[in-house]
Amino acid sequence: MSAIPSHIQFRTLITDMKHNEIPLMTPGRLSEVKALGSKLARLRVARKIRQIDAASRAGMARSTAALIEKGDPGRTLAQIFRYLEAIAPKLSLQALLLENDPSLKALMQLEATRRVRPLSSAELKKLDF
């Protein structure tokens, strides 16, 4: 019989199961994971969903949703797909990566810099070389 109480042994086992994925991945793959998280965050913002609401729809903690959006490589595919489904039901991962969603296109248009007013003919002549 062990001198260490069983609840401490169990806690140690759970803690030992977690490991850092970053040293195991190439820099290119890490940037892809971060890009995926960024696209998920942009999709959530484009659809005007709070992070806590998306997380609760996906059945996860808000901190897990934040890690997914940050591009943490330790998140599982199941968590990523559940989060995507919570934000945009029936949107495929491919459509997310290609940014084919109408809400993402609308967000890009809002973010694009535009002139407040069109140039007058005098201003256009001044710019003509």
Side-chain angles (χ1 to χ4, degrees):
M1 181 117 188
S2 174
I4 302 172
S6 62
H7 70 281
I8 293 176
Q9 288 177 339
F10 180 72
R11 188 176 308 147
T12 304
L13 177 67
I14 296 295
T15 305
D16 290 344
M17 287 174 32
K18 295 180 182 179
H19 60 278
N20 188 1
E21 294 286 336
I22 294 174
L24 304 174
M25 298 180 75
T26 64
R29 293 292 181 208
L30 283 173
S31 66
E32 288 175 354
V33 172
K34 289 190 184 299
L36 176 60
S38 174
K39 287 180 188 269
L40 281 166
R42 286 179 51 76
L43 179 66
R44 180 184 56 76
V45 169
R47 295 213 170 197
K48 297 179 171 75
I49 300 173
R50 295 183 315 164
Q51 193 177 55
I52 188 76
D53 295 334
S56 67
R57 286 181 196 171
M60 61 181 63
R62 192 203 59 78
S63 59
T64 303
L67 288 172
I68 289 171
E69 290 184 4
K70 189 174 106 179
D72 179 33
R75 302 301 99 207
T76 66
L77 276 175
Q79 288 174 322
I80 292 169
F81 278 115
R82 280 193 352 243
Y83 195 61
L84 174 60
E85 186 69 22
I87 296 170
K90 307 218 186 248
L91 183 70
S92 69
L93 182 60
Q94 182 179 10
L96 171 69
L97 294 174
L98 295 175
E99 296 187 351
N100 287 339
D101 188 63
S103 60
L104 282 173
K105 290 179 181 179
L107 181 64
M108 281 189 274
Q109 284 181 337
L110 284 174
E111 292 173 341
T113 54
R114 298 184 298 249
R115 292 195 56 83
V116 177
R117 62 174 180 75
L119 293 174
S120 68
S121 58
E123 290 172 322
L124 283 173
K125 278 186 182 181
K126 191 188 246 184
L127 291 174
D128 191 17
F129 296 106

